[in-house]
């Protein structure tokens, strides 16, 4: 398993853990902004940046400042910039969609699992 794949799996597990914490502590999404949300915010930013660094090292791409800053400030745009600057447009579009689809699927699957258990 490559470092890039290990970081992505860690990202998915980290996001799933945040959903699990919400269900265990608040029996669903909390009504207000919590410390779990803050930790998820910073953790996801850090893990996505680590993933981009590992991916860039693996494919031999030098990242530009725009993708780094945009990933921190507005992550979906930053990852799109990263993908489209590091790959051809078809593989960039597919990679971008699959990257975010994996995250959305983990959130939905974890939420639905705890909804069924409740």
């Amino acid at each position: 398993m490559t470092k890039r794949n290990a970081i992505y799996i860690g990202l998915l597990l980290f996001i799933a853990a945040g959903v699990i914490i919400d269900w265990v502590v608040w029996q669903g999404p909390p009504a207000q902004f919590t410390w779990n949300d803050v930790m998820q915010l910073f953790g996801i930013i850090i893990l996505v940046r680590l993933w981009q660094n590992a991916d860039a090292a693996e494919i031999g791409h030098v990242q530009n400042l725009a993708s780094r800053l945009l990933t921190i400030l507005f992550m979906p745009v930053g990852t799109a910039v990263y993908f489209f600057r590091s790959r051809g447009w078809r593989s960039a579009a597919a990679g971008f969609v699959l990257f975010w689809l994996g995250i959305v699927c983990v959130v939905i699957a974890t939420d639905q699992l705890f909804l069924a258990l409740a």
Side-chain angles (χ1 to χ4, degrees):
M1 176 183 303
T2 64
K3 183 178 178 181
R4 171 183 68 180
N5 294 344
I7 293 170
Y8 188 71
I9 290 169
L11 171 66
L12 297 178
L13 291 173
F14 181 78
I15 291 170
V19 174
I20 291 168
I21 289 169
D22 283 345
W23 271 100
V24 169
V25 175
W26 293 281
Q27 285 73 41
Q32 58 189 14
F33 200 68
T34 66
W35 282 108
N36 182 38
D37 298 329
V38 174
M39 298 308 295
Q40 286 286 305
L41 174 75
F42 287 113
I44 291 168
I45 289 171
I46 290 167
L47 287 168
V48 170
R49 282 293 304 130
L50 286 173
W51 180 87
Q52 286 179 350
N53 290 340
D55 183 65
E58 189 172 312
I59 64 173
H61 173 70
V62 177
Q63 297 181 59
N64 64 349
L65 184 61
S67 69
R68 291 181 198 171
L69 285 177
L70 286 171
T71 297
I72 294 169
L73 298 175
F74 191 62
M75 194 173 304
V77 172
T79 54
V81 169
Y82 172 75
F83 273 106
F84 281 94
R85 291 196 45 95
S86 65
R87 293 164 170 76
W89 74 269
R90 285 185 179 147
S91 60
F96 176 76
V97 168
L98 291 173
F99 184 89
W100 285 104
L101 186 63
I103 290 172
V104 170
C105 285
V106 162
V107 170
I108 291 170
T110 308
D111 196 51
Q112 290 299 312
L113 174 69
F114 275 85
L115 187 61
L117 295 174

Coordinates of all heavy atoms in Angstrom, one line a residue, residues 1-13 47 50-56 58-59 83 87 99:
M1 N 0.8 -1.2 0.0 CA 0.0 0.0 0.0 C 0.9 1.2 0.0 O 1.8 1.3 0.8 CB -0.9 0.0 1.2 CG -1.7 1.2 1.4 SD -2.8 1.3 2.8 CE -3.7 -0.1 2.8
T2 N 0.6 2.2 -0.9 CA 1.4 3.4 -1.0 C 1.0 4.3 0.2 O -0.1 4.2 0.8 CB 1.1 4.1 -2.3 OG1 -0.2 4.5 -2.4 CG2 1.5 3.2 -3.5
K3 N 1.9 5.3 0.4 CA 1.6 6.3 1.5 C 0.4 7.1 1.2 O -0.4 7.4 2.0 CB 2.8 7.2 1.6 CG 2.7 8.2 2.7 CD 4.0 9.1 2.7 CE 3.9 10.1 3.8 NZ 5.1 11.0 3.9
R4 N 0.2 7.4 -0.1 CA -1.0 8.1 -0.6 C -2.3 7.4 -0.2 O -3.2 8.0 0.3 CB -0.9 8.4 -2.1 CG -2.1 8.9 -2.7 CD -2.0 9.1 -4.2 NE -1.9 7.8 -4.8 CZ -1.8 7.6 -6.1 NH1 -1.7 8.6 -6.9 NH2 -1.7 6.4 -6.6
N5 N -2.3 6.1 -0.5 CA -3.5 5.3 -0.2 C -3.7 5.2 1.3 O -4.9 5.2 1.8 CB -3.4 3.9 -0.8 CG -3.5 4.0 -2.3 OD1 -3.8 5.0 -2.9 ND2 -3.0 2.9 -3.0
A6 N -2.7 5.0 2.1 CA -2.8 4.9 3.5 C -3.3 6.2 4.1 O -4.2 6.1 5.0 CB -1.4 4.6 4.2
I7 N -2.9 7.3 3.6 CA -3.4 8.6 4.1 C -4.9 8.8 3.8 O -5.7 9.2 4.6 CB -2.6 9.8 3.6 CG1 -1.2 9.7 4.2 CG2 -3.2 11.1 3.9 CD1 -0.2 10.7 3.6
Y8 N -5.3 8.4 2.6 CA -6.7 8.5 2.2 C -7.6 7.6 3.0 O -8.6 8.0 3.5 CB -6.9 8.1 0.7 CG -8.3 8.4 0.2 CD1 -8.7 9.7 0.0 CD2 -9.1 7.4 -0.1 CE1 -10.0 10.0 -0.4 CE2 -10.4 7.7 -0.6 CZ -10.8 9.0 -0.7 OH -12.1 9.3 -1.2
I9 N -7.1 6.4 3.3 CA -7.9 5.5 4.2 C -8.0 6.1 5.6 O -9.0 6.0 6.2 CB -7.3 4.1 4.2 CG1 -7.5 3.4 2.9 CG2 -7.8 3.2 5.4 CD1 -6.7 2.1 2.7
G10 N -6.9 6.7 6.1 CA -6.9 7.3 7.4 C -7.9 8.5 7.4 O -8.5 8.7 8.4
L11 N -7.9 9.2 6.3 CA -8.9 10.4 6.1 C -10.3 9.8 6.3 O -11.1 10.4 7.0 CB -8.7 11.1 4.8 CG -9.7 12.1 4.4 CD1 -9.7 13.3 5.4 CD2 -9.5 12.6 3.0
L12 N -10.6 8.8 5.5 CA -12.0 8.2 5.6 C -12.3 7.7 7.0 O -13.4 7.9 7.5 CB -12.1 7.1 4.6 CG -12.0 7.5 3.1 CD1 -12.1 6.2 2.2 CD2 -12.9 8.5 2.7
L13 N -11.4 7.1 7.7 CA -11.6 6.6 9.0 C -11.8 7.7 10.0 O -12.6 7.7 10.9 CB -10.4 5.7 9.5 CG -10.3 4.3 8.8 CD1 -9.1 3.6 9.2 CD2 -11.6 3.5 9.1
L47 N -5.2 16.2 6.8 CA -5.1 15.0 6.1 C -5.2 15.1 4.6 O -4.5 14.4 3.8 CB -6.2 14.0 6.6 CG -5.9 13.4 8.0 CD1 -7.1 12.7 8.6 CD2 -4.7 12.5 8.0
L50 N -1.8 16.4 3.5 CA -0.9 15.3 3.6 C -1.1 14.4 2.4 O -0.1 13.9 1.8 CB -1.0 14.5 4.9 CG -0.5 15.2 6.1 CD1 -0.8 14.3 7.4 CD2 1.0 15.4 6.0
W51 N -2.3 14.1 2.0 CA -2.6 13.3 0.9 C -2.1 14.0 -0.4 O -1.5 13.3 -1.2 CB -4.1 13.0 0.7 CG -4.4 12.2 -0.4 CD1 -4.4 10.8 -0.5 CD2 -4.6 12.6 -1.8 NE1 -4.6 10.4 -1.7 CE2 -4.8 11.4 -2.6 CE3 -4.7 13.8 -2.4 CZ2 -5.0 11.5 -3.9 CZ3 -5.0 13.9 -3.8 CH2 -5.1 12.7 -4.5
Q52 N -2.3 15.2 -0.6 CA -1.8 15.9 -1.7 C -0.3 15.9 -1.8 O 0.3 15.7 -2.9 CB -2.2 17.4 -1.8 CG -3.7 17.6 -2.1 CD -4.1 19.0 -2.1 OE1 -3.4 19.9 -1.6 NE2 -5.3 19.3 -2.6
N53 N 0.4 16.1 -0.7 CA 1.9 16.0 -0.6 C 2.4 14.6 -1.0 O 3.3 14.4 -1.8 CB 2.4 16.3 0.7 CG 2.3 17.8 1.1 OD1 2.1 18.6 0.2 ND2 2.3 18.1 2.4
A54 N 1.7 13.5 -0.5 CA 2.1 12.2 -0.8 C 1.8 11.9 -2.3 O 2.6 11.2 -3.0 CB 1.4 11.2 0.1
D55 N 0.7 12.3 -2.8 CA 0.3 12.1 -4.2 C 1.3 12.8 -5.1 O 1.8 12.3 -6.1 CB -1.1 12.6 -4.5 CG -1.5 12.3 -5.9 OD1 -1.7 11.1 -6.3 OD2 -1.8 13.3 -6.6
A56 N 1.6 14.1 -4.8 CA 2.6 14.8 -5.6 C 3.9 14.2 -5.6 O 4.6 14.1 -6.7 CB 2.7 16.3 -5.1
E58 N 4.5 11.0 -5.3 CA 4.4 9.7 -6.0 C 4.3 9.9 -7.5 O 4.9 9.1 -8.2 CB 3.1 9.0 -5.5 CG 3.0 7.6 -6.1 CD 1.8 6.8 -5.4 OE1 1.7 6.9 -4.2 OE2 1.1 6.2 -6.2
I59 N 3.7 11.0 -8.0 CA 3.6 11.2 -9.4 C 4.6 12.2 -9.9 O 4.7 12.4 -11.1 CB 2.2 11.7 -9.8 CG1 1.8 13.0 -9.2 CG2 1.1 10.6 -9.5 CD1 0.5 13.6 -9.7
F83 N -5.9 18.6 -8.6 CA -6.1 17.5 -9.6 C -5.9 18.0 -11.0 O -5.2 17.4 -11.8 CB -7.5 16.9 -9.4 CG -7.6 15.8 -8.4 CD1 -8.2 16.0 -7.2 CD2 -7.0 14.6 -8.7 CE1 -8.3 15.0 -6.3 CE2 -7.1 13.6 -7.8 CZ -7.7 13.8 -6.6
R87 N -2.7 16.5 -13.4 CA -3.1 15.4 -14.3 C -3.7 15.9 -15.6 O -4.1 17.1 -15.7 CB -4.1 14.5 -13.6 CG -3.5 13.7 -12.4 CD -4.6 13.2 -11.5 NE -4.2 12.3 -10.5 CZ -3.5 12.6 -9.4 NH1 -3.3 13.9 -9.2 NH2 -3.1 11.7 -8.6
F99 N -12.4 11.1 -5.4 CA -11.9 11.5 -4.1 C -13.0 12.0 -3.2 O -13.2 11.5 -2.1 CB -10.9 12.6 -4.3 CG -10.2 13.1 -3.1 CD1 -9.0 12.5 -2.6 CD2 -10.7 14.1 -2.3 CE1 -8.4 12.9 -1.5 CE2 -10.0 14.6 -1.2 CZ -8.9 13.9 -0.8

